[in-house]
Amino acid sequence: MSNSKQAVPSTLPLLRDRIDSIDSQIQLLINERATCAQKVAEVKLADQGDDAVVFYRPEREAQVLRKVMERNEGPLGNEEMAKIFRQVMSSCLALEKPMRIAFLGPEGTFTQQAALKHFGKSIVSAPMAAIDEVFREVESGAANYGVVPVENSTEGVVNHTLDSFRDSRLKICGEVEERIHHHLLVSPNISAEDVTHIYSHQQSLAQCRAWLDRYWPHAERIAVSSNAEAARLAAEAGRSGRAIAAIAGEIACELYGLLKVSSNIEDRPDNTTRFLIVGNQEVPPSGKDKTSLLISAKNEPGALYRLLEAFERHGVDMTRLETRPSLMSRWGYIFYIDFVGHYLDEGCCAVIDELRERASEVKVLGSYPVAVL
Ligand SMILES: O=C(O)C(=O)C[C@]1(C(=O)O)C=C[C@@H](O)C=C1
């Protein structure tokens, strides 16, 4: 084993020898860990059987990554170290069973970026044209899990995602938050000075409006179906010598071989989107969880108050309340509520039991680990 107390060599060749020695130890340990993961898969198969076996364990992954961050002593930062272990676990899970993850496409969207952040890069990611198609792909078993956007700090909730839970039996198995950084991108053989049109999704054009007004006031802004589509169009135009630019993220930049003219051009530096992981499994407690509910309130005076009062009385911290038309009656509404804790926790269980008496419908969408990365 490497002894970190040894005197650190001072010459480049000796330092590189030391790095080679450490690398060989790391490589042995990673393969030892992967062998353990293979044994875990055998135990899971023996315990659960071929049809019911669930290899992906979100609660365990969250616990592993939290421990990594808690014991980290640097110089690498906690998040950087957790990302390394995220990929190690992704590779180990792929050894147990390769995961096919459906996401709101096309290739290059922030949702794909979020899927790779949450599951690591050893997955097969499948782009879907719409959010309900992501749900259907997972419900049919064609994908193991799905990743969909649920809210953005600038634009608010994604209604299509909330509405998809009304009729779906899928459970929320996790969440991931992605800082949304927009970049101005052009094809490598295009000069930025020649750009006359800037393509992006309407939301992204809106999120970069002040920057565009200041630095590119004369460029025409063209809204397209997604940032990834804008990046594809910029790459395609570049091949025929047409000077158009795209506003898109890192993954689209890499995917379509574009160059960054300007980075992080979003007007609000805290621009963040939260994504949900949906699947066919309930997740056991991880020690730091949240729960999402769908509730149909009775159409009577004080109905909403009585629902919310139960949380306060049981000391359960409600973190989100969204309203959507119920579609069951013209002015009926359903409520999406997030709260801190797992539905199996005593206080949360008591609240849910009371809600079932006070509401016309209570659907537990899932309890899942609070986002770690
Ligand atoms: O502990 C398990 O259940 C494992 O399968 C091992 C492991 C890991 O690499 O740590 C891999 C995949 C799971 O999603 C969780 C953890």
Side-chain angles (χ1 to χ4, degrees):
M1 273 302 281
S2 160
N3 175 359
S4 55
K5 306 303 178 204
Q6 284 174 346
V8 178
S10 56
T11 66
L12 186 56
L14 287 177
L15 283 166
R16 284 177 173 168
D17 287 347
R18 180 74 177 282
I19 286 173
D20 288 345
S21 167
I22 293 167
D23 285 353
S24 62
Q25 294 174 63
I26 292 172
Q27 194 168 346
L28 284 172
L29 288 171
I30 290 176
N31 274 319
E32 185 180 343
R33 189 187 194 283
T35 303
C36 275
Q38 288 177 313
K39 296 291 183 195
V40 167
E42 291 169 14
V43 169
K44 286 176 178 175
L45 273 168
D47 289 353
Q48 302 163 29
D50 284 346
D51 297 335
V53 62
V54 176
F55 292 103
Y56 172 56
R57 301 304 335 179
E59 77 284 0
R60 171 61 181 166
E61 297 203 355
Q63 290 162 349
V64 169
L65 294 177
R66 286 178 204 145
K67 284 178 191 169
V68 165
M69 296 173 89
E70 284 160 12
R71 64 174 176 247
N72 185 46
E73 296 179 356
L76 279 183
N78 289 354
E79 188 161 335
E80 275 312 302
M81 184 60 81
K83 285 176 183 174
I84 292 170
F85 275 80
R86 165 60 291 156
Q87 184 50 45
V88 168
M89 269 198 298
S90 182
S91 303
C92 288
L93 178 56
L95 270 185
E96 294 185 44
K97 178 177 172 63
M99 290 286 125
R100 185 169 188 272
I101 309 299
F103 67 91
L104 179 60
E107 293 281 351
T109 55
F110 287 113
T111 308
Q112 184 178 29
Q113 213 165 290
L116 294 171
K117 177 179 180 180
H118 183 79
F119 285 100
K121 296 185 176 178
S122 302
I123 59 170
V124 175
S125 59
M128 299 290 130
I131 285 169
D132 56 347
E133 286 185 31
V134 175
F135 275 75
R136 278 200 295 276
E137 194 79 355
V138 182
E139 284 161 350
S140 70
N144 301 99
Y145 300 91
V147 183
V148 289
V150 67
E151 65 183 318
N152 172 266
S153 55
T154 309
E155 307 295 326
V157 291
V158 180
N159 292 327
H160 194 176
T161 295
L162 294 185
D163 295 347
S164 297
F165 282 109
R166 277 200 202 95
D167 306 319
S168 174
R169 56 178 168 72
L170 294 186
K171 290 294 184 184
I172 302 174
C173 304
E175 64 169 3
V176 54
E177 295 183 355
E178 189 72 0
R179 290 291 302 279
I180 301 302
H181 292 302
H182 293 302
H183 312 306
L184 187 69
L185 310 171
V186 294
S187 173
N189 55 327
I190 291 297
S191 168
E193 288 71 32
D194 300 334
V195 167
T196 56
H197 294 74
I198 297 176
Y199 286 56
S200 195
H201 186 276
Q202 185 53 50
Q203 270 198 12
S204 303
L205 291 171
Q207 291 167 12
C208 304
R209 180 183 297 113
W211 188 87
L212 291 169
D213 291 346
R214 178 173 180 188
Y215 297 104
W216 293 79
H218 306 302
E220 185 175 348
R221 301 168 200 179
I222 310 288
V224 292
S225 59
S226 71
N227 295 344
E229 176 61 6
R232 188 189 67 79
L233 292 170
E236 185 179 78
R239 287 190 286 275
S240 56
R242 287 184 300 114
I244 74 168
I247 293 175
E250 198 68 43
I251 194 167
C253 178
E254 291 171 18
L255 196 63
Y256 294 103
L258 300 175
L259 295 181
K260 288 181 192 170
V261 174
S262 299
S263 300
N264 305 337
I265 64 172
E266 61 277 0
D267 296 334
R268 290 175 57 104
D270 61 349
N271 186 16
T272 301
T273 295
R274 180 166 161 257
F275 301 83
L276 296 179
I277 315 306
V278 292
N280 289 291
Q281 73 189 71
E282 297 207 351
V283 179
S286 74
K288 190 178 180 188
D289 302 300
K290 61 169 56 169
T291 299
S292 296
L293 302 179
L294 180 158
I295 300 180
S296 293
K298 291 174 180 169
N299 200 359
E300 56 192 36
L304 179 56
Y305 166 76
R306 280 190 292 281
L307 294 179
L308 304 185
E309 182 273 336
F311 286 92
E312 196 275 334
R313 183 157 31 81
H314 287 277
V316 174
D317 179 10
M318 188 175 71
T319 58
R320 186 167 310 289
L321 171 63
E322 304 293 349
T323 309
R324 290 292 300 149
S326 74
L327 303 185
M328 302 297 282
S329 59
R330 185 183 306 172
W331 299 113
Y333 289 90
I334 54 178
F335 301 98
Y336 290 83
I337 292 179
D338 287 356
F339 60 82
V340 175
H342 193 284
Y343 79 88
L344 292 176
D345 298 344
E346 192 177 341
C348 301
C349 204
V351 170
I352 293 172
D353 288 344
E354 274 198 42
L355 294 176
R356 292 195 194 283
E357 292 167 13
R358 300 183 175 191
S360 48
E361 181 198 3
V362 177
K363 185 176 182 182
V364 179
L365 300 181
S367 289
Y368 46 94
V370 170
V372 180
L373 283 177

